[in-house]
Amino acid sequence: MKMKLLAFLMIATLFGSLTGCGKDTKTTQSMEVTQEPVEAEAVTLRIWAPENQIQNGTMDSMTKSFQALHPEWNITFTVETQGEDTAKEEILKDVTAAGDVFFFANDQLNELVNAGAIARLGGLAEEMVKSTMANEVANTVTIDGAIYGIPFTHNTFFMYYDKSLLNEDDIQSVESIMAKETADNVYNFCFDSAGGWKLSSWYYGAGLTVYGESQTDFSAGADWNNATGVSVTNYLIDLIHNPKCAYMEDVSLSELTQDHRVGAWFDGSWNYNLYKDALGDDLGLSVIPTFNPDGTDYQLKSFYGSKAIGVNSQAAYPAVAVAFAQYLGSEEMQMQRFEESGQVPTNLTAGESAEVQADEIAKVIVDEANTASVMQPTSTEFSSRYWSNVEGIATEIRSGELNKDNVQEKLNTFVASLVVE
């Protein structure tokens, strides 16, 4: 619009200078040049967003501020409630009827891409993801080098600890946590496999992989049955059977925290209020620690995912949809979302802001994502094989079925279950 106005002014000025040199001043004085209004393009944009960004007015505010920035479009927004956790199921029912812009959990990405339901992002949107977010974050929305979403918040776990039992030096490693002298009825650590979600941090932390570094090299299989994998499993056998280590399935963690009877444990932000109510100022938060299964200190690595913003491949106005998705994922909008709904920004600059760093949950999640995490694999091959087989590792260690006499055999069986023909 500014360019059109500038062109008009240049033409008007030029016209005036030329006619001013003429002899017929009456004609010049009586002629009026008027600007024709530039009509904004009428577009529609359907948005699928989670309830926590609609009820508090966040989405309403963002649609209005985006419209104000783009007078070249006269946008009719339709905002509908759709959770990130079920976005894929609803989109795949009918892509043409789904939101033009939608919020989704990144572990749904492969199926959305395979169905042709989500647009590949390029240009400024792609550059924004690559340049303003950590590689681990960008990888959550990347397939074969292509970007398909704009992450806006993190999804991972970290370590909680009781400050009355452990100090900041104690929590640096699993060894120092377990070495701390505590009362007989106190557990130094609580082990939780979480169906393999948290168990994975021990194996990935030691550098082991499933389907290679790319997580999609299916011919590589898994290497959890090599010498390092055996050492990690033997370490877990000793840890799980240590009387100072509680096993999640055997105890009530909420009761242990209330009674100051557990030193450290892994969990996500969703249970923060539970532990804060129990421990108050004694509640500490930290990235998960290191461990040493074979003479080498390894940083445990939590599975990391993100929640992201995607664009429907069938959007009626794709340029507008991409521009709005990019706007929703920008540093400014991530900060607004953090302030209004507490979602921790993936944007590096926003994550380092005084406001985010002053929030203890936000700070630990950002630190965990950037320093002690690995992207959770999202392939169909991984999901259909890993989860149903990995849960047996911890349960069989606890029952004694998996022990140091048969650890190699058990790991061989696990690795074989992940083979992709």
Side-chain angles (χ1 to χ4, degrees):
M1 184 173 179
K2 290 180 179 178
M3 291 298 294
K4 292 182 179 179
L5 178 58
L6 179 60
F8 164 77
L9 292 173
M10 291 176 67
I11 293 170
T13 301
L14 180 60
F15 181 83
S17 65
L18 290 173
T19 55
C21 296
K23 295 181 180 179
D24 189 351
T25 55
K26 288 184 179 180
T27 302
T28 302
Q29 292 172 353
S30 65
M31 182 173 290
E32 294 182 1
V33 179
T34 59
Q35 179 189 6
E36 293 184 8
V38 178
E39 194 169 324
E41 180 186 5
V43 302
T44 58
L45 210 55
R46 189 178 185 188
I47 313 301
W48 278 8
E51 188 174 11
N52 62 15
Q53 294 189 51
I54 296 176
Q55 281 192 337
N56 61 4
T58 296
M59 284 305 306
D60 182 58
S61 170
M62 291 181 179
T63 56
K64 289 178 179 176
S65 58
F66 180 75
Q67 174 66 91
L69 288 173
H70 292 280
E72 71 273 24
W73 297 319
N74 181 15
I75 309 171
T76 299
F77 285 98
T78 301
V79 180
E80 299 172 346
T81 301
Q82 175 57 61
E84 302 104 328
D85 56 337
T86 56
K88 177 197 69 178
E89 286 78 7
E90 295 304 313
I91 291 168
L92 296 186
K93 287 179 180 178
D94 185 353
V95 178
T96 61
D100 299 307
V101 177
F102 53 84
F103 293 69
F104 68 102
N106 83 292
D107 61 359
Q108 304 168 15
L109 184 58
N110 275 274
E111 292 182 65
L112 290 171
V113 171
N114 291 339
I118 188 169
R120 175 178 178 174
L121 300 178
L124 294 176
E126 178 183 20
E127 178 59 28
M128 183 179 77
V129 173
K130 291 181 175 179
S131 64
T132 68
M133 303 181 194
N135 288 337
E136 292 80 4
V137 177
N139 287 341
T140 64
V141 291
T142 303
I143 295 179
D144 295 332
I147 300 288
Y148 288 93
I150 302 174
F152 67 90
T153 195
H154 307 278
N155 186 22
T156 190
F157 60 89
F158 48 90
M159 185 165 72
Y160 291 90
Y161 68 100
D162 187 334
K163 293 179 180 179
S164 72
L165 300 173
L166 301 172
N167 60 41
E168 290 187 0
D169 291 331
D170 298 326
I171 63 171
Q172 299 306 308
S173 70
V174 177
E175 290 74 35
S176 57
I177 291 172
M178 296 305 295
K180 183 77 170 187
E181 290 190 14
T182 56
D184 291 342
N185 67 338
V186 170
Y187 296 103
N188 289 33
F189 182 70
C190 182
F191 178 88
D192 182 14
S193 171
W197 191 53
K198 295 175 185 174
L199 177 77
S200 63
S201 62
W202 306 84
Y203 293 90
Y204 278 88
L208 301 172
T209 63
V210 176
Y211 307 136
E213 293 294 336
S214 69
Q215 302 184 343
T216 55
D217 182 3
F218 303 120
S219 63
D223 59 1
W224 288 24
N225 60 340
N226 65 17
T228 300
V230 170
S231 295
V232 171
T233 308
N234 283 333
Y235 184 95
L236 292 176
I237 291 171
D238 289 337
L239 179 65
I240 290 173
H241 290 296
N242 189 315
K244 300 298 285 184
C245 177
Y247 189 73
M248 180 66 80
E249 303 302 319
D250 298 339
V251 298
S252 168
L253 184 57
S254 60
E255 292 181 6
L256 290 178
T257 55
Q258 288 175 348
D259 296 337
H260 292 273
R261 292 184 53 219
V262 60
W265 61 99
F266 300 165
D267 208 342
S269 59
W270 45 89
N271 281 327
Y272 171 80
N273 289 334
L274 173 69
Y275 305 133
K276 190 66 176 178
D277 290 343
L279 294 175
D281 292 341
D282 283 334
L283 180 64
L285 309 179
S286 173
V287 298
I288 56 180
T290 64
F291 78 122
N292 191 318
D294 58 7
T296 301
D297 289 328
Y298 297 106
Q299 172 62 59
L300 286 163
K301 295 287 184 71
S302 62
F303 265 165
Y304 170 82
S306 71
K307 294 182 180 181
I309 303 154
V311 174
N312 191 321
S313 60
Q314 303 297 316
Y317 299 92
V320 184
V322 171
F324 186 57
Q326 183 180 344
Y327 181 71
L328 291 176
S330 66
E331 176 186 341
E332 293 76 13
M333 294 304 99
Q334 288 200 24
M335 281 303 301
Q336 180 177 336
R337 197 176 291 110
F338 169 72
E339 293 163 0
E340 296 178 357
S341 58
Q343 293 173 304
V344 182
T346 56
N347 179 282
L348 289 170
T349 302
E352 293 168 358
S353 68
E355 295 90 337
V356 174
Q357 289 294 309
D359 185 286
E360 61 176 350
I361 286 208
K363 184 179 186 306
V364 74
I365 288 178
V366 170
D367 290 346
E368 181 75 28
N370 292 337
T371 65
S373 69
V374 62
M375 191 190 82
Q376 180 175 320
T378 59
S379 69
T380 302
E381 290 82 357
F382 179 91
S383 298
S384 64
R385 291 167 174 79
Y386 177 82
W387 298 113
S388 60
N389 290 290
V390 73
E391 60 185 352
I393 293 178
T395 57
E396 289 187 8
I397 288 176
R398 183 58 177 166
S399 69
E401 185 177 346
L402 195 169
N403 52 66
K404 291 185 178 181
D405 292 332
N406 64 10
V407 62
Q408 184 69 65
E409 175 188 350
K410 289 288 187 178
L411 289 177
N412 289 344
T413 300
F414 170 71
V415 167
S417 71
L418 302 180
V419 171
V420 176
E421 300 293 345

